[in-house]
Amino acid sequence: MSAIDLPLTPGSAGTGDAPSQGQQTKQQSRTHDSAFLKACRREPVPHTPVWFMRQAGRSLPEYLKVREGIPMLESCMRPELVTEITLQPVRRHKVDAAIYFSDIVVPLKAIGLDLDIKPGVGPVVAEPIRTRADLARLRDLTPEDVHYVTEAIGMLTGELGDTPLIGFAGAPFTLASYLVEGGPSRSHEHTKALMYGDPQLWADLLDRLAEITSTFLKVQIEAGASAVQLFDSWVGALAPADYRRSVMPASAKVFDAVAGYGVPRIHFGVGTGELLGLMGEAGADVVGVDWRVPLDEAARRVGPGKALQGNLDPAVLFASREVVEAKTDEVLAAAEGLEGHVFNLGHGVMPAMDPDALSRLVEYVHTRTAV
């Protein structure tokens, strides 16, 4: 039975308990001993595994060619296109994991919200959610709503062989920020006003988003994803006390919902140096670290029992090869004492980045860390 033919366990992609750790797709069994998954499990690795956030997309000429004239959200709903785009960086860069090509607002679009991704702006919501009556627009997500995800992952796992596929979703806070603000925001004034001014409505909003996010991740895991990453892109705007009280319960609900699958759960946010310990406490197996905190210090903040992911400053890739290698050596040196380390950038690949520089970086890390 191929991954695309695997039945969804009754209730597990919507409500009810997740499957036990023993229930794995054929693809998850095939990728179990990959360097990426070993690092996530804090086991010895043949080399430090590498993948890049936003590796599937903007910097690759082949991506721009196949995406030409196709709106972002539409491209996320075409299984053949998703498969091609997801595979492109694996072919070109020889990274140790693929990440599913999608967008964090896809599940919100799938439940009928009027939103779009505007080039140069980001997700824009026609009618922001700011009152209790607005919550009614956030219905439950079902596997049928995102049938194209199951189809695309089935196609991908047939192509990836023993290379793991990372599924992902937006964390409740970041999704809420887009919904409440109506689009990207630097100050998050409407979001924070709701969080502080009506804590019960805020809690209900995040709980609803946690349900939607959990279902979206379950669909990806049951289709064959070997790990998942929860992106909380904007949560660095919060103080630790606010995160613990007003955000962490919803993130923990998402991690708890997929815990029974036994796949590594990664948590990443930008500007979250003061939140690293709490983000690990929310339930992640791997904590992503941006470039602002050295990995050895991040390990101290996160505490034992977690692997770390990161954390080369993306801007370094615009410097000379010698500088890139020197800065990479600094990251690897800071990671020497870690229980587990997945090499990544401290944020996503930038559109103007030279793809060859990324390929050289993968080769350098592999060679430099080979056992």
Side-chain angles (χ1 to χ4, degrees):
M1 182 180 291
S2 68
I4 195 170
D5 295 323
L6 285 167
L8 292 174
T9 305
S12 64
T15 58
D17 295 332
S20 68
Q21 290 189 0
Q23 293 177 271
Q24 290 187 320
T25 67
K26 187 179 292 185
Q27 178 67 4
Q28 288 155 359
S29 298
R30 188 163 44 187
T31 62
H32 183 268
D33 291 328
S34 64
F36 169 72
L37 292 178
K38 281 178 174 286
C40 290
R41 297 192 302 262
R42 296 175 287 122
E43 298 173 359
V45 292
H47 60 263
T48 298
V50 187
W51 72 278
F52 304 117
M53 290 176 284
R54 291 181 179 159
Q55 67 185 14
R58 309 181 297 176
S59 68
L60 299 180
E62 55 265 42
Y63 165 82
L64 298 174
K65 182 177 180 180
V66 298
R67 267 285 321 277
E68 189 174 3
I70 305 174
M72 178 62 186
L73 284 174
E74 182 183 337
S75 70
C76 296
M77 300 174 189
R78 295 189 183 185
E80 294 85 358
L81 185 58
V82 168
T83 299
E84 169 59 23
I85 293 172
T86 302
L87 291 171
Q88 285 175 349
V90 180
R91 296 190 199 112
R92 180 187 273 261
H93 302 315
K94 306 298 187 292
V95 285
D96 293 278
I99 183 163
Y100 183 73
F101 175 75
S102 187
D103 189 90
I104 64 171
V105 299
V106 162
L108 301 180
K109 184 71 172 180
I111 62 171
L113 290 188
D114 186 0
L115 60 82
D116 197 9
I117 300 177
K118 294 191 175 180
V121 178
V124 177
V125 181
E127 298 179 58
I129 291 181
R130 296 176 185 172
T131 69
R132 182 156 295 278
D134 292 332
L135 281 182
R137 289 189 275 136
L138 294 178
R139 68 166 175 83
D140 290 341
L141 179 74
T142 70
E144 292 73 28
D145 292 323
V146 287
H147 60 88
Y148 43 83
V149 173
T150 300
E151 184 178 349
I153 291 179
M155 296 170 68
L156 275 164
T157 55
E159 296 282 346
L160 283 168
D162 58 4
T163 300
L165 176 67
I166 304 168
F168 78 92
F173 175 83
T174 290
L175 294 179
S177 176
Y178 282 119
L179 291 175
V180 174
E181 299 292 338
S185 172
R186 291 175 181 261
S187 56
H188 308 281
E189 63 264 28
H190 295 295
T191 305
K192 291 185 177 181
L194 178 59
M195 183 178 71
Y196 296 136
D198 194 338
Q200 188 57 57
L201 175 57
W202 173 259
D204 292 344
L205 170 60
L206 259 65
D207 188 70
R208 187 77 57 88
L209 291 170
E211 291 282 355
I212 292 168
T213 298
S214 298
T215 299
F216 193 51
L217 290 179
K218 288 177 180 180
V219 167
Q220 294 174 71
I221 295 168
E222 293 191 8
S226 296
V228 290
Q229 177 159 310
L230 193 66
F231 283 88
D232 215 346
S233 306
W234 303 124
V235 79
L238 297 181
D242 290 330
Y243 177 86
R244 179 182 287 279
R245 177 178 56 250
S246 302
V247 174
M248 187 171 158
S251 294
K253 182 174 182 175
V254 175
F255 285 124
D256 288 345
V258 298
Y261 290 95
V263 303
R265 299 159 298 169
I266 310 168
H267 202 6
F268 174 76
V270 183
T272 52
E274 297 301 319
L275 305 179
L276 289 174
L278 293 172
M279 291 176 71
E281 193 177 326
D285 304 298
V286 184
V287 178
V289 185
D290 74 10
W291 67 93
R292 297 171 178 87
V293 180
L295 289 176
D296 49 358
E297 171 59 18
R300 188 190 68 77
R301 298 183 187 187
V302 171
K306 310 284 183 182
L308 296 185
Q309 179 175 278
N311 68 340
L312 184 69
D313 185 342
V316 169
L317 270 294
F318 292 97
S320 68
R321 183 170 184 169
E322 292 73 23
V323 170
V324 172
E325 292 180 356
K327 298 298 286 186
T328 299
D329 285 342
E330 291 179 12
V331 172
L332 294 175
E336 280 184 3
L338 301 186
E339 297 181 57
H341 177 221
V342 176
F343 189 96
N344 207 313
L345 303 180
H347 199 189
V349 171
M350 299 177 187
M353 219 169 256
D354 178 7
D356 290 342
L358 290 167
S359 298
R360 288 194 298 266
L361 177 57
V362 175
E363 182 181 12
Y364 183 76
V365 173
H366 284 171
T367 302
R368 178 78 167 71
T369 61
V371 176

